[in-house]
């Protein structure tokens, strides 16, 4: 892990200005102290760390596709795809390979470098996995990075995905352990950590983050970041989702989170996980351009790109292209461009 600068920030607590411990262990109090920094100091520090590890004008574009929508047996309180909530999402069968490949080709043509396939499963059955393996092989052959989010994985399943060419597996911790039971009761935190261990063990890169704006406290937001930052190693990719409130789900109607607190969460993720891709994920459509611009300043360098997330809306492709151009940001190169040194 590279060293981090020790900044002198007048009037801030000592713990907030200390460099990260060499073993990257982040006590939750130190993370709270980052959240508590004056906004400009926090963003300055995040931007400085961001620049040490990344081209500050580069953003990764990842396109999502729901390959199996709705009818999920789990009770995640935020999720429109849980069968038990009346959200208007109808259960569908797994998409045919051709449909997935068509979406992947379009994503690539629009400039995406990563293609993420999501399924509303508690866990994949072995026969489902065969179909996903085929999708991964074919999407990878198009020259895209591949990512899948299929729920919990059992023994041997991560290895099968790795053999098919999967680059990333997305499995979120979602929130702090102490808030978790308020949101999900059908699987526990340890189940998630076990799946992440299987993904890591198979040599697949870990994409793991959470959702903010679910009624958690700042301490609990810090608790989520502590769980992520203290993984050894921490995830290569960290999606920070802003809750998209969907009518029919138990979390619909909550007071929305202050947008600047969302920006702080991005900055804290950047500082505590300097080399991770911090992904500005769900909720961008509701955020507006100014808040997104602050998120990029705070160190976000990946977005979901395409007019749909899984079941809810995302900014239109043209809107995103205009925003990136306005901010002077450019898309991460495709694998071919990178190979040509373009
Ligand atoms: N079923 C699999 C699972 O739960 O791991 C994969 C799909 S699931 C929809 C992927 C992630 O999307 C969830 O872990 C959650 O973090 C995020 N998500 C789902 N609904 C959301 C919402 N309404 N707002 C923000 N993020 C959401
Ligand atoms: C992640 O952390 N966020 C994405 C992706 N991983 C799979 C999903 C967001 C889903 C938002 C609600 C929906 O569109 O259904
Ligand atoms: Fe099912 Fe995943 Fe939605 Fe939870 S988040 S209800 S597991 S699709």
């Amino acid at each position: 892990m590279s060293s981090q600068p020790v900044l002198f920030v007048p009037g801030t607590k000592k713990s907030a200005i200390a460099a990260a411990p060499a073993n990257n262990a982040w006590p939750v109090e130190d993370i709270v102290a980052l959240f508590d920094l004056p906004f400009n100091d926090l963003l300055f520090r995040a931007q400085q760390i961001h620049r040490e590890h990344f081209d500050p004008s580069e953003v990764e574009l990842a396109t999502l596709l729901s390959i199996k929508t709705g009818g999920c047996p789990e009770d995640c309180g935020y999720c429109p795809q849980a069968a038990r909530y009346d959200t208007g999402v109808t259960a569908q069968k797994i998409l045919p390979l051709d449909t997935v490949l068509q979406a992947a080709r379009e994503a690539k043509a629009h400039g995406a470098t990563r293609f993420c396939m999501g399924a509303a499963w508690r866990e994949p059955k072995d026969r489902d996995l065969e179909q996903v393996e085929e999708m991964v092989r074919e999407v990878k052959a198009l020259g895209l990075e591949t990512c899948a989010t299929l729920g919990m994985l059992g023994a041997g399943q991560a290895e099968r995905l790795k053999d098919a060419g999967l680059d990333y597996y997305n499995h979120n911790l979602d929130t702090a352990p102490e808030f978790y039971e308020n949101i999900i009761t059908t699987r526990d935190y340890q189940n998630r950590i076990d799946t992440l261990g299987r993904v890591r063990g198979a040599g697949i890169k870990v994409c793991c983050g959470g959702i903010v704006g679910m009624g958690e406290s700042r301490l609990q937001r810090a608790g989520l970041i502590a769980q992520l930052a203290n993984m050894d190693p921490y995830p290569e990719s960290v999606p920070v989702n802003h809750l998209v409130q969907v009518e029919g789900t138990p979390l619909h109607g909550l007071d929305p989170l202050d947008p600047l607190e969302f920006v702080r969460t991005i900055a804290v993720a950047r500082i505590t996980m300097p080399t991770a891709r911090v992904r500005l994920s769900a909720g961008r459509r509701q955020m507006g351009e100014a808040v997104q611009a602050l998120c990029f300043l705070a160190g976000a360098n990946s977005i979901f790109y395409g007019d749909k997330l899984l079941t809810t809306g995302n900014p239109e492709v043209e809107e995103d292209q205009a925003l990136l151009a306005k901010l002077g940001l450019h898309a991460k190169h495709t694998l071919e461009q990178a190979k040509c040194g373009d």
Side-chain angles (χ1 to χ4, degrees), residues 64 80-81 118 149 170 172 210 239 241 244 281-282 304 309-313:
L64 256 179
Q81 303 199 69
T149 179
N170 167 239
N172 291 337
N241 294 278
V244 177
S281 301
F304 285 119
L309 290 164
L310 292 172
T311 64
T312 64

Side-chain angles (χ1 to χ4, degrees), residues 59-82:
V59 177
E60 176 195 59
L61 305 180
T63 295
L64 256 179
L65 177 69
S66 179
I67 59 166
K68 159 55 185 101
T69 303
C72 185
E74 301 295 273
D75 72 349
C76 312
Y78 48 76
C79 187
Q81 303 199 69

Side-chain angles (χ1 to χ4, degrees), residues 21-296:
N23 62 0
N24 199 40
W26 279 93
V28 77
E29 317 79 78
D30 286 11
I31 297 179
V32 171
L34 289 174
F35 268 99
D36 289 346
L37 280 171
F39 190 75
N40 287 353
D41 295 333
L42 177 61
L43 260 67
F44 177 70
R45 182 162 170 188
Q47 177 64 201
Q48 202 170 37
I49 288 173
H50 190 50
R51 281 167 185 266
E52 282 177 33
H53 299 280
F54 290 99
D55 169 355
S57 300
E58 185 214 76
V59 177
E60 176 195 59
L61 305 180
T63 295
L64 256 179
L65 177 69
S66 179
I67 59 166
K68 159 55 185 101
T69 303
C72 185
E74 301 295 273
D75 72 349
C76 312
Y78 48 76
C79 187
Q81 303 199 69
R84 67 191 72 203
Y85 309 135
D86 187 8
T87 62
V89 171
T90 45
Q92 289 166 18
K93 292 206 171 87
I94 190 166
L95 292 180
L97 179 63
D98 283 358
T99 311
V100 175
L101 290 180
Q102 184 56 29
R105 279 189 212 100
E106 278 169 26
K108 191 179 174 192
H110 286 131
T113 53
R114 186 159 153 192
F115 191 71
C116 307
M117 293 162 271
W121 289 320
R122 172 178 165 82
E123 70 240 306
K125 297 190 184 75
D126 278 341
R127 66 166 187 281
D128 299 324
L129 207 63
E130 262 169 51
Q131 295 185 66
V132 178
E133 287 170 290
E134 191 61 21
M135 291 172 187
V136 169
R137 262 192 292 275
E138 300 279 336
V139 170
K140 180 103 177 153
L142 297 174
L144 286 159
E145 284 190 303
T146 54
C147 178
T149 179
L150 315 170
M152 295 187 285
L153 294 180
Q157 292 190 318
E159 284 74 11
R160 285 176 55 183
L161 290 166
K162 172 72 183 171
D163 289 347
L166 190 71
D167 295 302
Y168 292 86
Y169 194 80
N170 167 239
H171 198 63
N172 291 337
L173 290 178
D174 278 347
T175 192
E178 62 277 16
F179 191 66
Y180 183 86
E181 278 180 12
N182 297 50
I183 306 296
I184 301 148
T185 67
T186 48
R187 73 171 89 155
D188 62 27
Y189 216 73
Q190 189 57 44
N191 294 148
R192 291 182 185 255
I193 289 170
D194 293 345
T195 291
L196 293 166
R198 293 198 164 112
V199 171
R200 187 55 87 201
I204 299 171
K205 286 182 256 191
V206 171
C207 175
C208 181
I211 310 177
V212 295
M214 299 196 292
E216 74 286 342
S217 62
R218 179 177 272 188
L219 177 61
Q220 289 160 340
R221 282 187 282 283
L224 166 65
I225 301 283
Q227 289 292 323
L228 298 168
N230 289 324
M231 283 180 191
D232 187 16
Y234 57 78
E236 283 82 3
S237 172
V238 179
V240 183
N241 294 278
H242 190 301
L243 174 69
V244 177
Q245 296 200 11
V246 179
E247 212 173 325
T249 60
L251 297 188
H252 182 251
L254 283 181
D255 285 343
L257 184 74
D258 179 341
L260 298 183
E261 184 68 9
F262 184 80
V263 177
R264 283 181 183 272
T265 310
I266 296 273
V268 172
R270 167 52 66 222
I271 292 167
T272 54
M273 294 172 274
T275 62
R277 281 261 162 208
V278 174
R279 319 185 76 192
L280 173 52
S281 301
R284 284 199 304 118
R285 202 163 76 166
Q286 293 72 10
M287 230 169 257
E289 289 192 341
V291 175
Q292 291 184 66
L294 282 173
C295 289
F296 293 128

